[in-house]
Amino acid sequence: MSTTTFNQAELAQYNGENGQAAYVAVDGVVYDVTNIAAWAGGKHHGNLAGQDLTTVIDNQSPHGRKVLAKLTVVGQYQA
């Protein structure tokens, strides 16, 4: 696992807009969704990249956490 640690402000910079990479955090792990077509422009079904989406994936996502296994881990998240 990557040793990069992101806080809220740092993660927010990776919002997928204007050519920026798109990262999301789930349960303290930061994932790269940049090249995932469903996350084009840093948006996916009303969710925005650059945020902690733990509650969303656990309570609202139809696919749940199983999709995370396909993503690249880029670091850890500490609010």
Side-chain angles (χ1 to χ4, degrees):
M1 181 183 289
S2 175
T3 58
T4 303
T5 301
F6 297 85
N7 63 30
Q8 186 176 10
E10 292 165 334
L11 182 62
Q13 295 175 28
Y14 295 91
N15 60 12
E17 296 178 2
N18 302 315
Q20 189 68 273
Y23 294 172
V24 298
V26 176
D27 201 23
V29 179
V30 179
Y31 298 90
D32 186 346
V33 295
T34 305
N35 295 316
I36 305 300
W39 276 96
K43 298 175 185 169
H44 177 62
H45 296 290
N47 300 299
L48 304 176
Q51 298 181 13
D52 181 353
L53 299 179
T54 303
T55 301
V56 172
I57 201 162
D58 286 345
N59 299 324
Q60 299 173 12
S61 169
H63 49 65
R65 292 184 181 221
K66 65 185 176 188
V67 70
L68 300 176
K70 301 174 186 176
L71 302 175
T72 300
V73 173
V74 293
Q76 299 176 4
Y77 177 71
Q78 292 182 335

